[in-house]
Amino acid sequence: MGKTAYTTAEVCERLGITRRTLYRHIKAGKLRAQQPGGYDYRITRSALVDYLGSEEAYRDVFERENGD
Protein backbone atom coordinates (compact mmCIF):
# COMPACT_ATOMS: atom_id res chain seq x y z
CA MET A 1 0.00 0.00 0.00
CA GLY A 2 1.29 3.46 -0.87
CA LYS A 3 1.69 6.46 1.32
CA THR A 4 -1.30 8.46 2.49
CA ALA A 5 0.42 11.88 2.75
CA TYR A 6 3.39 13.58 1.12
CA THR A 7 5.63 16.54 1.87
CA THR A 8 5.98 19.43 -0.55
CA ALA A 9 9.49 18.22 -1.43
CA GLU A 10 8.18 14.76 -2.37
CA VAL A 11 5.35 16.18 -4.48
CA CYS A 12 7.64 18.64 -6.27
CA GLU A 13 10.14 15.91 -7.07
CA ARG A 14 7.50 13.52 -8.42
CA LEU A 15 5.66 16.16 -10.45
CA GLY A 16 8.83 17.87 -11.68
CA ILE A 17 7.73 21.32 -10.51
CA THR A 18 9.27 23.92 -8.25
CA ARG A 19 8.13 24.61 -4.71
CA ARG A 20 7.04 28.04 -5.83
CA THR A 21 4.72 26.53 -8.43
CA LEU A 22 3.36 24.04 -5.91
CA TYR A 23 2.65 26.82 -3.39
CA ARG A 24 0.87 28.82 -6.09
CA HIS A 25 -1.38 25.86 -6.85
CA ILE A 26 -2.14 25.41 -3.15
CA LYS A 27 -2.88 29.13 -2.64
CA ALA A 28 -5.09 29.17 -5.76
CA GLY A 29 -7.10 26.20 -4.45
CA LYS A 30 -6.04 23.87 -7.26
CA LEU A 31 -4.44 21.48 -4.77
CA ARG A 32 -5.75 20.84 -1.26
CA ALA A 33 -3.09 20.73 1.44
CA GLN A 34 -2.89 20.88 5.21
CA GLN A 35 -0.31 22.79 7.20
CA PRO A 36 -0.05 20.99 10.54
CA GLY A 37 1.42 23.12 13.29
CA GLY A 38 2.07 25.96 10.84
CA TYR A 39 5.01 24.14 9.28
CA ASP A 40 5.45 22.70 5.81
CA TYR A 41 2.36 21.52 3.95
CA ARG A 42 1.23 17.90 3.80
CA ILE A 43 -0.65 16.76 0.73
CA THR A 44 -2.90 13.72 0.99
CA ARG A 45 -3.21 10.96 -1.54
CA SER A 46 -6.85 11.89 -2.21
CA ALA A 47 -5.90 15.53 -2.84
CA LEU A 48 -3.29 14.37 -5.37
CA VAL A 49 -5.81 12.09 -7.11
CA ASP A 50 -8.16 15.08 -7.46
CA TYR A 51 -5.34 17.35 -8.62
CA LEU A 52 -4.05 14.89 -11.22
CA GLY A 53 -7.54 14.02 -12.41
CA SER A 54 -7.61 10.27 -11.84
CA GLU A 55 -6.44 7.38 -9.72
CA GLU A 56 -4.48 6.05 -12.69
CA ALA A 57 -2.58 9.32 -13.12
CA TYR A 58 -1.74 9.27 -9.40
CA ARG A 59 -0.43 5.70 -9.61
CA ASP A 60 1.65 6.52 -12.69
CA VAL A 61 3.39 9.38 -10.90
CA PHE A 62 3.56 8.27 -7.28
CA GLU A 63 3.57 4.49 -7.22
CA ARG A 64 5.12 3.11 -10.39
CA GLU A 65 8.68 4.35 -9.75
CA ASN A 66 8.41 3.63 -6.04
CA GLY A 67 7.58 0.02 -6.54
CA ASP A 68 4.61 0.44 -4.18
Side-chain angles (χ1 to χ4, degrees):
M1 179 101 182
K3 291 178 73 167
T4 58
Y6 296 86
T7 65
T8 55
E10 291 171 318
V11 173
C12 288
E13 181 182 328
R14 291 294 185 159
L15 295 179
I17 60 175
T18 65
R19 244 179 228 230
R20 186 175 184 175
T21 298
L22 183 67
Y23 290 146
R24 282 185 194 154
H25 289 204
I26 292 168
K27 298 279 187 212
K30 295 178 183 179
L31 175 61
R32 294 186 324 268
Q34 293 80 40
Q35 200 171 19
Y39 296 103
D40 196 22
Y41 287 100
R42 294 291 181 265
I43 298 111
T44 64
R45 180 183 194 283
S46 64
L48 288 164
V49 169
D50 290 344
Y51 178 73
L52 294 170
S54 71
E55 182 73 31
E56 183 178 348
Y58 167 82
R59 284 193 306 267
D60 285 347
V61 174
F62 287 89
E63 292 182 355
R64 186 175 293 164
E65 290 179 27
N66 246 357
D68 289 350

